[in-house]
Amino acid sequence: MNNVESHISIQYFQHAYAEFILGSYNNALCLCDFRYRNMRSAVDSRVQQSLNANFVEQTSDVIEMTKVQLNDYFVGKRQNFDIPLVTAGSDFQKTVWRALQAIDYGTTLSYKQLATAINNPDAVRAVGTANGANALAIVIPCHRVVASDGTLGGYAGGLALKKRLLSLEQKAQQYNTTLNKE
């Protein structure tokens, strides 16, 4: 008998920044996404099919840890997440999502720079599509990717939220830099 769970625990998490759907599978976070995003059903279906499990509305230790770490992030106390993750996507998507995790807090990369970072500089559109398919928003920081001309591009949580997240990170980073100089 194997120890893998046959379900994905999910909970909705209302925060002042956004309302999230959080999901855990086999003691790892598999979903941290915007509850009302356009592609909600497609993302949910992909996650469930990839993990061969259905959603059950209940909490878990991983979901509770995620809530704490998200709250810390939103008040500028956390720059990195240390939650175990499981991603549900193609090999290419997973490569993009790993590259997203390497983008430093408070900084941005263009889609072109991200494509170059994964050694596939001609895959700018595919990188954008993979970025948009990220089911672990904030934790895998897809909001740190912008268009080559510096405009925000798209974001599943909406452009106003993307702008707010980038501003939050830049302000927190400036504050921490100031503290470290004193």
Side-chain angles (χ1 to χ4, degrees):
M1 178 162 220
N2 78 36
N3 289 333
V4 176
E5 292 180 24
S6 60
H7 67 274
I8 299 165
S9 299
I10 65 161
Q11 258 200 346
Y12 298 103
F13 175 52
Q14 178 68 49
H15 192 278
Y17 272 81
E19 187 169 356
F20 297 91
I21 178 173
L22 304 176
S24 69
Y25 176 77
N26 203 27
N27 298 314
L29 188 70
C30 63
L31 192 60
C32 178
D33 206 3
F34 304 105
R35 184 172 182 179
Y36 300 109
R37 74 178 288 180
N38 288 338
M39 296 173 47
R40 175 80 280 126
S41 61
V43 171
D44 292 348
S45 178
R46 176 173 39 92
V47 169
Q48 290 177 85
Q49 286 177 7
S50 177
L51 300 175
N52 195 27
N54 293 315
F55 289 164
V56 175
E57 200 167 332
Q58 64 185 23
T59 195
S60 70
D61 291 344
V62 170
I63 288 173
E64 294 306 314
M65 182 183 353
T66 302
K67 289 178 185 178
V68 169
Q69 291 192 21
L70 282 171
N71 280 325
D72 287 348
Y73 168 83
F74 287 124
V75 296
K77 289 183 183 176
R78 174 171 292 279
Q79 295 186 4
N80 299 297
F81 294 86
D82 57 7
I83 303 164
L85 304 177
V86 60
T87 54
S90 69
D91 289 342
F92 179 80
Q93 288 172 324
K94 290 177 182 183
T95 298
V96 172
W97 299 334
R98 280 190 297 276
L100 289 170
Q101 291 175 286
I103 303 172
D104 290 335
Y105 180 90
T107 64
T108 59
L109 279 185
S110 70
Y111 294 99
K112 176 75 173 164
Q113 289 171 314
L114 189 58
T116 300
I118 63 166
N119 297 316
N120 202 339
D122 295 328
V124 176
R125 286 183 187 264
V127 162
T129 300
N131 201 50
N134 176 23
L136 292 162
I138 314 296
V139 178
I140 295 180
C142 54
H143 62 278
R144 295 182 188 149
V145 181
V146 297
S148 293
D149 65 3
T151 58
L152 294 183
Y155 192 57
L159 292 182
L161 179 59
K162 184 173 185 172
K163 184 176 184 179
R164 193 172 174 201
L165 293 172
L166 293 173
S167 177
L168 166 80
E169 290 186 8
Q170 290 164 352
K171 286 177 184 170
Q173 190 176 39
Q174 289 167 354
Y175 177 75
N176 289 332
T177 300
T178 302
L179 281 181
N180 289 336
K181 287 181 180 177
E182 293 177 358

